[in-house]
């Protein structure tokens, strides 16, 4: 019942702002990993958390940090996120190349990297590592029947970061990996 109510509420936001329908099809009540990712970030007691591909801000709104900044390329979804969360979270249009924070305690990128080739993901992340303490991403298992284009192993992080924690959060074919940058 809760999922249906949440989908109706997100449907109203979609009508108002015109963002893509997939945002309303998976409210947080259906995707427990969002709470889990926020819990992992909160366990680090961060001052600055940046999420690239933040969508409606469902993860950032659960993070306890003085600075919470979300980047997304979809202007419509950012307008809806601002309405939902007010000034508690800063939302900016852009992606990895637009991240301007000088020091990041946790950089989050989940549930969308699988549409991009590993070399592209590496090119986006490498420049941010010197100013980042932790990176939190999801890894889809190669045996997953889900239609993901890429199954990242994040091998480009070897020697640059170590996996500090790995969680599943009730996601059958996905692992959430918290890396500590060296």
């Amino acid at each position: 019942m809760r999922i249906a109510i949440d989908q109706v509420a997100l449907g109203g936001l979609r009508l108002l702002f015109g963002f893509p329908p997939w945002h309303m099809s998976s409210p947080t009540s259906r995707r427990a990993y969002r709470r889990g990712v926020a819990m992992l970030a909160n366990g680090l007691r961060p001052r600055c958390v940046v999420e690239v591909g933040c969508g409606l801000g469902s993860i950032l709104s659960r993070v306890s940090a003085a600075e919470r900044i979300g980047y997304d390329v979809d202007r419509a979804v950012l307008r809806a996120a601002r309405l939902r969360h007010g000034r508690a979270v800063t939302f900016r249009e852009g992606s990895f190349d637009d991240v301007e924070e000088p020091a990041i305690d946790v950089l989050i990128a989940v549930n969308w990297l699988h549409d991009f080739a590993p070399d592209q993901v590496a090119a986006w992340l490498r420049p941010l590592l010197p100013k980042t303490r932790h990176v939190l991403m999801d890894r889809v298992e190669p045996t997953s029947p889900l239609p993901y284009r890429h199954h990242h192993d994040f091998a480009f992080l070897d020697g640059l970061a170590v996996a500090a924690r790995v969680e599943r959060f009730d996601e059958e074919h996905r692992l959430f990996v918290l890396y500590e940058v060296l």
Side-chain angles (χ1 to χ4, degrees):
M1 181 60 130
R2 177 68 192 177
I3 292 171
I5 292 168
D6 291 345
Q7 284 178 312
V8 168
L10 291 175
L13 278 177
R14 181 174 180 267
L15 287 174
L16 187 62
F17 294 102
F19 55 77
W22 64 267
H23 285 286
M24 64 177 259
S25 66
S26 64
T28 298
S29 53
R30 174 179 275 170
R31 306 305 297 265
Y33 78 84
R34 292 178 182 146
R35 286 186 285 284
V37 167
M39 178 197 69
L40 281 176
N42 287 334
L44 300 168
R45 297 184 176 185
R47 187 179 117 28
C48 177
V49 176
V50 172
E51 183 180 8
V52 178
C54 67
L56 292 165
S58 299
I59 292 172
L60 282 174
S61 67
R62 290 170 169 76
V63 170
S64 298
E67 292 181 79
R68 297 179 288 173
I69 303 102
Y71 288 85
D72 205 291
V73 297
D74 187 327
R75 191 175 291 165
V77 81
L78 289 173
R79 287 194 320 263
R82 286 182 189 110
L83 177 70
R84 289 181 80 200
H85 305 294
R87 294 178 187 216
V89 178
T90 300
F91 293 100
R92 297 184 178 140
E93 188 174 350
S95 189
F96 289 107
D97 297 332
D98 303 297
V99 174
E100 57 190 38
E101 288 65 36
I104 301 167
D105 294 308
V106 184
L107 175 64
I108 300 171
V110 295
N111 202 33
W112 66 274
L113 292 176
H114 318 293
D115 285 334
F116 298 92
D119 58 335
Q120 177 63 67
V121 173
W124 282 331
L125 283 170
R126 274 193 191 113
L128 297 176
L129 293 178
K131 63 180 182 177
T132 303
R133 286 184 41 222
H134 296 89
V135 179
L136 209 164
M137 297 180 288
D138 58 328
R139 184 173 68 209
V140 175
E141 296 172 343
T143 57
S144 171
L146 302 172
Y148 291 109
R149 292 164 96 186
H150 301 281
H151 301 275
H152 298 290
D153 61 8
F154 303 115
F156 71 90
L157 289 174
D158 290 349
L160 302 172
V162 293
R165 192 150 170 204
V166 179
E167 297 286 344
R168 193 170 292 280
F169 300 128
D170 295 327
E171 292 282 324
E172 190 174 343
H173 300 285
R174 230 171 9 151
L175 297 170
F176 295 85
V177 185
L178 175 66
Y179 290 94
E180 183 174 351
V181 178
L182 300 174

